[in-house]
Amino acid sequence: MKPEKALIFEMSRPGRVAYSLPACDVPESAPADYIPASMLRSKPAELPEVYEVDVIRHYTELSRRNFGIDNGFYPLGSCTMKYNPKINENTARFAGFAGIHPYQPVESIQGALELLYTLQNDLAALTGMDQVTLQPAAGAHGEWTGLMMIRAYHESRGEKRTKVIVPDSSHGTNPASATVAGFETITITSNERGHVDLDALRAAVGPDTAALMLTNPSTLGLFEEQIEEIAAIIHKAGGLLYYDGANSNAIMGITRPGDMGFDVVHLNLHKTMSTPHGGGGPGAGPVGVKSRLIPFLPKPVVAKREDGTFYFDFDRPASIGRVKAYYGNFGILVRAYTYIRTYGPEGLRRVSECAVLNANYMMRRLSNAYEIPYPGVCKHEFVMSGRGLKRYGVRTLDVAKRLLDFGYHPPTIYFPLNVEECIMIEPTETESKETLDAFVDTMISIAKEAEETPEVVLNAPYDTVVRRLDETQAARKPVLNCSCG
Ligand SMILES: *Cc1c(COP(=O)(O)O)cnc(C)c1O
């Protein structure tokens, strides 16, 4: 058996140091009149005294307890990007990009502005929009930005439109953003095929409709075939169409929201354009708009003069204002730009084709062991139901916990809300057939375990640093300090 790894406080021995500093050239104890006595430490801080290698090993060990895309397969649905190309990191570290300051004169940052300008145009071309802002820092932030522009648009026409329609399969951020932007949300149910119910939509629209927010393909992985009819219903009522393009992997180079009739789109660069997803950011949720919404874009807008130089255009009287400090998360934008340049238009189309192929392959193979509520062709992701395992007392959560023992990050579970015991899988294009097969085999063997030895699944995981956590308490009252001894 391996000896238990000592934690850093247990390794501590008086006098050990992990650093070497130059000799102190100021008085070591500050005079009392310089720092008030109440702010001075009365006894030394309790810090571990260890060697440099111990510190490195401690943090490396902690990092290994985490699961990330560089550790293994990560089939989370509605989270797409599981690929952070290392070349992105190289370009983001170019001195001219990494060392830039937001207050530098524009003449000295022409290259950075050209990159932003080109990225805006690339994303506009990819989505079929007329102009793009790169300011928003996340998908939800992009949604809010788009909705604020929709609000400004209706107000500029003297119209009072207060309602935003969302389908019941929509991502939770959609109704949340609509509420924060000052709208009331109306949820419409999906039909038995998982699509927008046109009759329910017709009944919901009216003179107070500001917009419909739609994800297409939906979070069920289904493409809304009646999208042109949906767009006509909304436009006829005077509303606008908002496209949640957080995960656009299924459509790149194949179809565009702009061509489907959408007026506003946001993309998650951390889901569709290979920028890192972990740790809560920084992210980027650029927003594209059709021409009638251009006046309302956040300012400043990165623009190009006739002589070929670039500048920040602040002269935008109808703008909704600035939505992010400075100009967005620049380092992330450099990574997305690199990804687009690396793949090119043909490569991006191939990404989408392979993402869809992989999802369909897995769905077919898993259909013998799990229920597939919408068995047609899926796009980049698909949903299954673990409802069939309930008769053995096993639930979707237990299947997800058991996956941890086999070294997999579980897929998304219990979302979308309209599928019972939902399991939502998104393999993406970057995984090999061997990886997909190994995961499918594991899922099938867990379904078999559930039937034959349900207690094995119910008590999982066995092989992780911690066993089952109280997830609610873990989120609400996290214990963040080292509880040694
Ligand atoms: C992830 C996601 C969002 C929200 O994006 P954040 O960057 O997490 O704010 C919105 N819609 C869909 C469909 C998503 O998958």
Side-chain angles (χ1 to χ4, degrees):
M1 229 182 79
K2 276 193 292 185
E4 187 79 15
K5 283 228 169 70
L7 290 162
I8 197 156
F9 280 93
E10 299 164 353
M11 288 189 241
S12 179
R13 297 289 179 277
R16 288 186 185 169
V17 286
Y19 59 86
S20 56
L21 293 177
C24 192
D25 59 358
V26 293
E28 287 214 17
S29 52
D33 60 346
Y34 185 59
I35 299 174
S38 64
M39 294 179 83
L40 285 174
R41 206 187 277 288
S42 56
K43 44 182 202 243
E46 281 179 49
L47 295 174
E49 296 179 59
V50 290
Y51 297 133
E52 181 179 345
V53 280
D54 298 325
V55 178
I56 300 295
R57 284 181 194 153
H58 172 74
Y59 284 108
T60 306
E61 173 62 20
L62 286 185
S63 79
R64 286 210 215 151
R65 292 184 180 188
N66 242 329
F67 192 97
I69 48 174
D70 292 339
N71 297 82
F73 188 46
Y74 199 131
L76 274 179
S78 199
C79 271
T80 304
M81 218 69 227
K82 285 97 182 186
Y83 180 44
N84 299 152
K86 301 303 173 239
I87 189 176
N88 290 2
E89 303 308 311
N90 291 353
T91 50
R93 278 167 182 71
F94 283 174
F97 292 143
I100 205 166
H101 192 282
Y103 287 144
Q104 251 172 263
V106 278
E107 306 79 64
S108 70
I109 53 164
Q110 286 294 306
L113 292 185
E114 180 169 2
L115 182 142
L116 295 178
Y117 186 83
T118 314
L119 181 60
Q120 283 175 184
N121 288 347
D122 286 351
L123 296 179
L126 207 58
T127 54
M129 292 287 133
D130 295 317
Q131 198 165 337
V132 166
T133 173
L134 302 172
Q135 275 187 36
H141 193 191
E143 289 169 26
W144 175 81
T145 303
L147 289 163
M148 291 304 282
M149 286 191 264
I150 289 175
R151 209 174 111 171
Y153 168 81
H154 289 311
E155 278 169 8
S156 76
R157 293 156 53 92
E159 290 188 6
K160 191 156 171 49
R161 291 177 175 267
T162 52
K163 300 206 168 109
V164 167
I165 304 170
V166 295
D168 57 2
S169 63
S170 77
H171 195 271
T173 51
N174 291 186
S177 305
T179 306
V180 176
F183 293 106
E184 190 187 320
T185 57
I186 300 181
T187 304
I188 51 166
T189 49
S190 307
N191 63 23
E192 70 288 347
R193 290 180 56 230
H195 293 292
V196 169
D197 184 332
L198 291 191
D199 290 332
L201 181 64
R202 281 192 198 97
V205 296
D208 53 2
T209 302
L212 168 74
M213 295 182 87
L214 204 64
T215 308
N216 191 24
S218 69
T219 51
L220 298 166
L222 305 174
F223 190 82
E224 209 58 77
E225 283 153 16
Q226 308 193 72
I227 184 58
E228 284 171 325
E229 207 168 333
I230 292 170
I233 293 171
I234 296 295
H235 282 151
K236 201 158 152 246
L240 296 178
L241 273 97
Y242 185 98
Y243 185 90
D244 179 338
N247 314 278
S248 293
N249 287 53
I251 62 157
M252 284 189 299
I254 297 168
T255 182
R256 309 188 303 172
D259 302 335
M260 298 177 208
F262 285 90
D263 303 285
V264 187
V265 179
H266 90 263
L267 295 171
N268 280 17
L269 299 188
H270 45 292
K271 288 183 183 171
T272 304
M273 295 295 161
S274 86
T275 70
H277 201 161
V287 179
V289 295
K290 283 280 178 68
S291 55
R292 55 183 158 165
L293 288 156
I294 288 178
F296 310 104
L297 281 168
K299 66 181 174 186
V301 167
V302 178
K304 189 176 180 178
R305 290 195 192 86
E306 281 196 357
D307 67 2
T309 57
F310 300 91
Y311 67 106
F312 289 119
D313 181 6
F314 283 92
D315 185 16
R316 320 269 312 177
S319 166
I320 61 164
R322 200 194 272 280
V323 301
K324 172 86 177 74
Y326 307 115
Y327 319 104
N329 281 324
F330 180 66
I332 291 298
L333 303 173
V334 175
R335 288 172 175 86
Y337 174 89
T338 306
Y339 178 70
I340 292 173
R341 291 292 119 163
T342 307
Y343 276 71
E346 287 305 315
L348 292 179
R349 184 187 170 102
R350 185 98 184 109
V351 163
S352 287
E353 290 168 349
C354 293
V356 171
L357 179 64
N358 284 357
N360 279 281
Y361 175 72
M362 287 182 86
M363 182 171 82
R364 291 287 163 254
R365 275 210 63 203
L366 281 163
S367 63
N368 295 327
Y370 295 85
E371 210 174 304
I372 308 287
Y374 306 106
V377 174
C378 69
K379 290 295 174 278
H380 57 302
E381 63 190 354
F382 62 97
V383 294
M384 313 194 298
S385 172
R387 150 171 78 187
L389 303 179
K390 267 171 123 178
R391 71 188 113 131
Y392 314 118
V394 172
R395 301 195 52 196
T396 285
L397 177 71
D398 306 309
V399 174
K401 293 294 179 195
R402 185 68 177 129
L403 274 171
L404 298 172
D405 288 327
F406 296 95
Y408 293 111
H409 190 294
T412 301
I413 55 172
Y414 300 110
F415 176 79
L417 305 174
N418 53 344
V419 173
E420 190 189 345
E421 293 296 316
C422 191
I423 305 175
M424 185 189 197
I425 295 180
E426 184 177 14
T428 76
E429 80 291 352
T430 43
E431 300 296 339
S432 68
K433 180 166 178 296
E434 290 74 23
T435 301
L436 302 184
D437 280 332
F439 178 79
V440 168
D441 292 343
T442 304
M443 284 294 286
I444 294 173
S445 76
I446 294 174
K448 215 154 158 243
E449 269 181 349
E451 187 179 340
E452 292 167 1
T453 50
E455 66 287 353
V456 172
V457 184
L458 290 172
N459 291 314
Y462 303 90
D463 218 23
T464 46
V465 180
V466 285
R467 300 282 299 272
R468 286 207 189 193
L469 299 170
D470 180 334
E471 287 172 16
T472 312
Q473 291 299 325
R476 300 238 166 99
K477 295 185 182 157
V479 180
L480 299 173
N481 59 341
C482 172
S483 53
C484 320

